[in-house]
Amino acid sequence: MSSLNYTSKEQIKEENADALKASLKADLGRYPFEATLPELGPMVSSALHAAENLETWSSPEKPQVEAWRSGWDTTIFKAPKGTVVNISPWNFPWVLTILPLISAIATGCTCLIKPSEHAQASAALIAELIPKYLDPDAYAVCLGAVEEATYVLSLKWDHIFYTGSEKVGRIVAEAAAKQLTPVTLELGGQSPVFVDGDSTNIEIAAKRILWGKQQNAGQVCVAPNHVFVQEQYQSALVEAFRKAYDSFWPNGPLDSSSEMARVVNVHHYERNKSLLSSTKGKVAFGGQAGQDLRIEPAIVTGVTMKDPLMGEEIFGPILPIIPVADVDAAISHIQLSPTPLVIYVFTENEEIKNKFVQRTQSGQLILNETFAQVAVYEIPFGGQGESGYGSYLGKYSFDTFTHQRGYINVPADEGTEGFMQGRYPPYSAPALEFFSQALKTKIPDA
Amino acid sequence: MATTVSMIPKIRDGLRATFRSGMTRPIAWRQHQLYQLARMAQNERELICDALKKDLGKPRTEVLMAEVGSIIERAVKSAQQLPEWAKTEYPEVADWQKPWKPTLYKAPRGTVLIVSPWNYPMILSFQPLIGAIAAGCTAVLKPSELVPTFSQLLAEIVPKYLDPNTYRVVNGAVPEISKLLELQWDHIFYTGNGRVARIIASAAAKHLTPLTLELGGKSPVIIDSAYDHDLAAKRILWGKCNNAGQICVAPDYVLVQRDKQDELVRAFQKHYNAFFPEGALDSPSFGSIVSDSHHKRLTSLLSRTKGDVVLQGRADAARRRLEPTIVKNVAGGDSLLEEELFGPILPIVPVDSLDQAVDFVNARSHPLVLYAFSDKESVKQQLVSETQSGGIVFNDTFQQLAVHELPFAGVGESGYGYQVMKYTYDTFTQLRSSIDMPKEAEPYLAIRYPPHSEEAVKALTAAVYTPIPPSRQ
């Protein structure tokens, strides 16, 4: 049943690719490449990946057990949790709605999806296409805003999958608490970057960071939020950003020929403009606000942790550079901040890499790259601390909507019953002796 | 003796500082703490048995067999398997991603809170703690105030064996637990009931704290009419009598084919007499009810039943003793089917078919465990696919707890999150993903940067046009 629905899903994307891209252009000003690479592409490949692996993932496991229990047919069944809901955000309205739906299908759950009202064209198209391709008795779409979402959250679900803000994440967890519903919270945070000027190739670093930042005009949960660099390398880094900037947008980001998404709505457009005007740092270049809710990516130097730009997740095309004395200072700032979804580190130095592994916490730790990690289905995508809990992609998605149901079958034969005779009352000393092997476990001297 | 409320935030902050210091990272350090925990259970077992005898009237055999032994064994086994569990993993990926070195670090979640119940306080305090220690977390353990002698004992012996900067026992009741719940934790592991679980989940929501909820519910027993009812009765009664039925996985009620009900009742009576030749009231092989209010709750439920009492258990409120009581001809809506019994009362619900039994179970909340007695493959298949429960156990009760290769968890009202051995370790561990993009990859990555040529767009968006295998509904 599940694999049939996958193929339907992929069909949606292929046959309706143009309509899909149009909806993203309407909602977010996405140019075709940016509609396809991070959204349509992964939707198709995730569905196919799940269909291919479905049998393996859903097969009951037979763990190896101790000899005296080997006759009990110990099994772990992969049971669907039941009826689940996916509440998705506006920034990547297709992929973040569909990927959890894929796992619901794969695990045998039924699913309600609630796309964001802030990406209206996408939500409308989702509501139109889903019932055409998928069984409407098993998968449904709910459109609406706060009132509808609140109502959805008041019902009992077997799992709630939420992608969005910390603030609403708390509301979702609170609603789930009343029903004892397990939750996945894919939140965000201020994902920091550390550029180790001593060892890394600053040009490559700048290009990779800017590429990650400009995705969807910085409106991604894994966007590099701000950059720490050793003071002495700040200008070199700015130069490198300038070079990358010019190569991405030879005519400037606001030019009609340039590929650059826009800010989602007036509220966020004004918010970003206000951040730029109130920063105590220096806008090195970029930042000009255009028509059509587009804002040039801005590099801001000499920013401190107390700056308005550091008040919350920027979720926009502004990149603050925070000069620090050394990596320890950067790590100290990171440790005192809420746990982010990702920490990005650009370094060739093993010791520095190890410092981040040991002394920091984050959902993911990505070296010498931004964003590309989401293409790797074999590593879980999820947060830690304020950036959320639970994870998905690949098998992790499957596990999210699955309950591992333990099973044993104890034989009725005389051998087994005789073996267990001593467990029944009245408890006798010899019986206790027999069952107390564990008490006498030899504890190593360590 | 309760921990002072004002001390609680300081304790939490101290544990956080310890976590941050990196002290718990080395595997050898964690192994030592696990061995210390095993030593504590081994060396102090008589004190532990005495405390539980005092608080719960628990037979020494039950404590040693079901609690202390398991902790020693699992602490040692966890220490031995820890290097394997903690290994950084390098998942197999597609060729084009191999140069990115995809990596999974096993990162400790941080500073965690474990809240344990009164009924199996030794194992339910330390089994989660074993996982937390193994994972490299720091932890507060809050044992139940309903076992005051035991909780006080923990406050004394835990700091003697485990590092007091890393693991702390916090005692108290509502004010202390409320204070604990105001604070942020990196994980809360709660074992108990659904009402309190909602309170804890709500407090956790404010801090976006992930949870494990090990709850209970009414675990049904379905008996296939073809199965040996004598053996079934023995194995069910044994499960019911452990700790006088006060366990989350106690067989709560039995669904039996109507024409086999009396045979089942006779079997129960026979095995009861074998277990307790003088009756259970004064037997050292049978535990007491934890408190006066629970004793009253149980006798009150019994007084309201519309079923037929076939084995009348004697009650002694002063000593909080209640003998096993078996009631037949119980129907839906009966007092004995209202809530999780958590006591030595066994309602028998006659049904006319297996399908009816399945419907009866499915009309109710998902139980922690579904017990079924049958030899038929078809019955097993039907129950596995048509019901939902934390676990499903055929032809025995309770014994699944010995199988530490299985994840132990509830579903729906019976909770969520897994424990036992590696499952507990995983609960307290975060899989922190990583990649490392080589500099040399830059020429291959070049086409992703704007401005995008037609070729670049074609190459990078080819995935959309992957051929889809044909399929039909």
Side-chain angles (χ1 to χ4, degrees):
Chain A
M1 173 76 142
S2 303
S3 51
L4 306 175
N5 286 308
Y6 280 120
T7 56
S8 297
K9 298 255 311 310
E10 289 124 31
Q11 278 176 301
I12 301 188
K13 291 138 221 160
E14 296 198 1
E15 291 171 13
N16 296 282
D18 290 331
L20 232 140
K21 287 184 214 166
S23 73
L24 282 167
K25 183 150 181 75
D27 286 331
L28 292 156
R30 292 267 194 88
Y31 52 96
F33 179 77
E34 220 186 20
T36 318
L37 183 65
E39 298 225 45
L40 277 90
M43 281 157 63
V44 175
S45 49
S46 277
L48 288 172
H49 181 73
E52 273 159 30
N53 288 288
L54 185 54
E55 250 195 73
T56 316
W57 292 346
S58 59
S59 292
E61 276 173 46
K62 304 260 184 198
Q64 203 174 21
V65 299
E66 288 168 19
W68 67 277
R69 291 185 269 107
S70 57
W72 296 11
D73 197 22
T74 306
T75 306
I76 302 170
F77 289 106
K78 310 301 174 68
K81 281 187 178 172
T83 302
V84 305
V85 63
N86 178 30
I87 301 174
S88 50
W90 53 261
N91 64 334
F92 279 79
W94 282 91
V95 69
L96 297 177
T97 303
I98 298 300
L99 253 55
L101 174 61
I102 289 172
S103 342
I105 297 173
T107 53
C109 291
T110 54
C111 181
L112 176 73
I113 52 181
K114 161 68 190 72
S116 170
E117 66 275 24
H118 299 299
Q120 284 194 2
S122 299
L125 187 57
I126 287 170
E128 192 193 306
L129 293 178
I130 294 284
K132 270 196 196 159
Y133 289 85
L134 298 181
D135 186 332
D137 287 333
Y139 316 107
V141 181
C142 166
L143 293 181
V146 175
E147 202 182 311
E148 287 75 19
T150 305
Y151 182 71
V152 165
L153 287 172
S154 70
L155 303 173
K156 170 119 186 92
W157 302 94
D158 296 304
H159 196 96
I160 298 175
F161 194 104
Y162 170 73
T163 307
S165 70
E166 223 183 276
K167 175 164 148 280
V168 176
R170 287 188 172 84
I171 295 171
V172 171
E174 175 68 47
K178 295 188 173 63
Q179 307 275 16
L180 297 177
T181 304
V183 182
T184 299
L185 296 179
E186 294 278 345
L187 311 177
Q190 296 159 293
S191 293
V193 186
F194 175 71
V195 174
D196 174 26
D198 285 331
S199 73
T200 199
N201 179 317
I202 289 187
E203 259 192 46
I204 292 180
K207 199 168 192 186
R208 293 179 180 181
I209 295 168
L210 189 63
W211 178 74
K213 185 66 166 186
Q214 58 83 41
Q215 301 277 346
N216 206 33
Q219 299 163 112
V220 197
C221 53
V222 294
N225 190 75
H226 54 281
V227 179
F228 293 106
V229 68
Q230 297 103 332
E231 286 153 340
Q232 65 267 36
Y233 295 108
Q234 188 178 214
S235 4
L237 185 60
V238 171
E239 264 309 297
F241 276 129
R242 177 92 240 187
K243 194 164 166 206
Y245 187 100
D246 291 338
S247 79
F248 291 177
W249 308 292
N251 301 323
L254 298 181
D255 188 82
S256 58
S257 69
S258 291
E259 295 169 278
M260 170 76 196
R262 63 167 170 79
V263 178
V264 67
N265 58 31
V266 173
H267 163 73
H268 284 290
Y269 176 75
E270 294 301 332
R271 182 179 65 80
N272 275 282
K273 276 169 66 181
S274 160
L275 281 173
L276 272 172
S277 59
S278 59
T279 178
K280 306 269 184 295
K282 173 164 165 288
V283 180
F285 58 87
Q288 210 185 329
Q291 287 149 326
D292 195 25
L293 299 181
R294 240 167 266 267
I295 301 178
E296 289 181 334
I299 303 291
V300 186
T301 58
V303 178
T304 69
M305 294 299 290
K306 292 195 163 42
D307 195 275
L309 286 175
M310 296 304 297
E312 56 174 28
E313 190 175 1
I314 293 170
F315 224 67
I318 306 169
L319 187 61
I321 302 180
I322 303 175
V324 290
D326 54 27
V327 63
D328 292 333
I331 288 180
S332 175
H333 287 311
I334 289 170
Q335 284 177 334
L336 293 171
S337 305
T339 308
L341 189 49
V342 194
I343 295 177
Y344 296 109
V345 181
F346 285 80
T347 187
E348 303 294 309
N349 184 320
E350 274 305 309
E351 199 193 316
I352 287 184
K353 174 181 158 181
N354 201 44
K355 278 188 181 180
F356 279 95
V357 172
Q358 297 296 330
R359 291 166 48 194
T360 65
Q361 286 186 284
S362 60
Q364 302 184 310
L365 176 64
I366 304 300
L367 300 161
N368 302 315
E369 174 55 32
T370 64
F371 210 76
Q373 71 274 18
V374 304
V376 187
Y377 296 158
E378 291 78 2
I379 60 178
F381 181 78
Q384 164 71 17
E386 291 89 344
S387 48
Y389 50 80
S391 62
Y392 72 123
L393 286 190
K395 181 160 190 302
Y396 299 96
S397 295
F398 186 87
D399 290 343
T400 292
F401 293 121
T402 296
H403 168 68
Q404 292 185 67
R405 193 181 191 195
Y407 162 109
I408 55 170
N409 176 15
V410 183
D413 61 290
E414 278 177 28
T416 307
E417 197 55 18
F419 176 74
M420 298 202 290
Q421 189 51 40
R423 70 181 184 176
Y424 300 110
Y427 302 130
S428 66
L432 178 59
E433 187 58 35
F434 178 80
F435 284 108
S436 299
Q437 298 309 313
L439 287 170
K440 302 199 201 90
T441 307
K442 169 102 182 44
I443 304 168
D445 299 319
Chain B
M1 223 170 65
T3 311
T4 321
V5 169
S6 58
M7 279 301 295
I8 289 172
K10 295 194 182 72
I11 291 172
R12 199 280 312 250
D13 291 347
L15 294 174
R16 263 192 176 171
T18 304
F19 180 75
R20 220 159 251 173
S21 76
M23 179 143 85
T24 62
R25 299 295 174 129
I27 300 296
W29 193 91
R30 303 182 207 174
Q31 287 171 315
H32 173 67
Q33 295 298 314
L34 288 167
Y35 291 136
Q36 283 293 98
L37 179 57
R39 286 174 194 122
M40 184 187 88
Q42 213 170 61
N43 299 348
E44 310 292 349
R45 64 184 180 280
E46 294 308 326
L47 285 181
I48 292 166
C49 285
D50 290 344
L52 291 179
K53 181 102 193 128
K54 184 144 184 266
D55 287 337
L56 294 167
K58 242 203 222 214
R60 191 168 161 276
T61 306
E62 278 181 24
V63 178
L64 293 175
M65 194 164 76
E67 301 209 62
V68 177
S70 296
I71 291 302
I72 296 170
E73 193 180 45
R74 290 176 186 184
V76 170
K77 281 204 167 105
S78 295
Q80 287 165 342
Q81 293 180 35
L82 182 53
E84 188 57 41
W85 295 348
K87 254 194 214 156
T88 300
E89 279 175 39
Y90 302 97
E92 190 65 37
V93 298
D95 283 340
W96 64 281
Q97 293 178 344
K98 282 194 165 90
W100 302 5
K101 292 210 229 61
T103 303
L104 292 176
Y105 294 107
K106 311 297 174 63
R109 287 203 180 273
T111 300
V112 305
L113 171 63
I114 297 168
V115 180
S116 59
W118 53 262
N119 65 334
Y120 277 76
M122 182 68 191
I123 190 161
L124 296 177
S125 297
F126 293 106
Q127 180 152 265
L129 186 61
I130 287 171
I133 296 173
C137 293
T138 58
V140 161
L141 173 60
K142 163 70 186 72
S144 170
E145 66 276 20
L146 290 184
V147 281
T149 321
F150 175 78
S151 302
Q152 184 49 36
L153 177 64
L154 288 196
E156 284 160 24
I157 60 177
V158 167
K160 277 193 196 156
Y161 290 85
L162 299 183
D163 185 284
N165 294 313
T166 313
Y167 317 105
R168 295 287 296 264
V169 174
V170 168
N171 278 325
V174 174
E176 290 73 24
I177 186 85
S178 301
K179 194 66 188 171
L180 285 167
L181 291 176
E182 272 173 35
L183 304 173
Q184 184 273 345
W185 303 93
D186 296 304
H187 196 93
I188 298 178
F189 192 111
Y190 170 70
T191 306
N193 67 64
R195 187 187 60 83
V196 174
R198 281 171 167 83
I199 296 169
I200 292 183
S202 183
K206 293 184 178 56
H207 291 291
L208 299 170
T209 298
L211 291 164
T212 300
L213 299 177
E214 295 281 1
L215 311 177
K218 295 182 79 64
S219 293
V221 187
I222 294 177
I223 308 179
D224 174 11
S225 56
Y227 194 83
D228 174 354
H229 281 53
D230 184 82
L231 183 60
K234 189 180 188 187
R235 291 180 173 182
I236 295 167
L237 190 63
W238 174 71
K240 190 60 143 180
C241 288
N242 264 284
N243 204 31
Q246 297 164 109
I247 182 165
C248 54
V249 294
D252 191 280
Y253 65 98
V254 177
L255 293 153
V256 69
Q257 190 78 15
R258 200 174 294 276
D259 57 11
K260 297 287 238 173
Q261 189 178 212
D262 287 331
E263 184 188 326
L264 183 67
V265 168
R266 281 194 297 275
F268 276 131
Q269 283 166 328
K270 172 184 143 200
H271 291 295
Y272 175 76
N273 293 330
F275 290 178
F276 310 108
E278 329 261 309
L281 195 69
D282 300 303
S283 168
S285 303
F286 187 73
S288 305
I289 305 305
V290 67
S291 67
D292 296 329
S293 64
H294 275 287
H295 193 273
K296 220 184 223 150
R297 178 182 66 82
L298 290 164
T299 52
S300 160
L301 286 172
L302 267 173
S303 70
R304 290 193 289 121
T305 182
K306 305 263 187 302
D308 306 318
V309 178
V310 290
L311 182 72
Q312 177 70 63
R314 291 170 291 175
D316 180 344
R319 287 186 298 141
R320 291 182 272 111
R321 302 287 294 176
L322 181 62
E323 287 183 323
T325 302
I326 300 179
V327 184
K328 74 171 188 181
N329 287 329
V330 175
D334 194 273
S335 64
L336 299 179
L337 295 178
E338 278 168 13
E339 56 180 52
E340 188 176 358
L341 285 166
F342 226 69
I345 304 170
L346 187 59
I348 303 177
V349 178
V351 290
D352 296 300
S353 66
L354 181 65
D355 285 342
Q356 215 182 63
V358 170
D359 289 342
F360 194 93
V361 168
N362 284 341
R364 291 159 171 75
S365 303
H366 300 331
L368 186 51
V369 58
L370 172 62
Y371 293 111
F373 286 81
S374 177
D375 287 320
K376 293 208 213 102
E377 263 318 299
S378 59
V379 170
K380 291 194 192 120
Q381 302 261 21
Q382 183 183 358
L383 292 176
V384 168
S385 50
E386 290 180 19
T387 65
Q388 285 185 271
S389 61
I392 181 164
V393 175
F394 282 90
N395 304 320
D396 205 346
T397 64
F398 203 75
Q399 200 62 60
Q400 71 275 19
L401 298 180
V403 187
H404 56 75
E405 295 86 353
L406 281 180
F408 181 84
V411 73
E413 280 291 316
S414 47
Y416 52 79
Y418 305 103
Q419 65 169 321
V420 182
M421 292 300 289
K422 183 165 191 294
Y423 292 96
T424 328
Y425 172 83
D426 287 341
T427 288
F428 289 111
T429 295
Q430 181 225 349
L431 281 183
R432 193 182 189 196
S433 353
S434 183
I435 63 168
D436 186 348
M437 185 68 78
K439 284 199 293 296
E440 297 74 24
E442 204 55 23
Y444 301 102
L445 300 174
I447 56 169
R448 69 184 183 178
Y449 302 117
H452 297 109
S453 64
E454 286 249 5
E455 290 86 43
V457 177
K458 259 219 181 97
L460 287 169
T461 62
V464 180
Y465 304 100
T466 317
I468 300 169
S471 68
R472 254 200 329 268
Q473 199 79 20

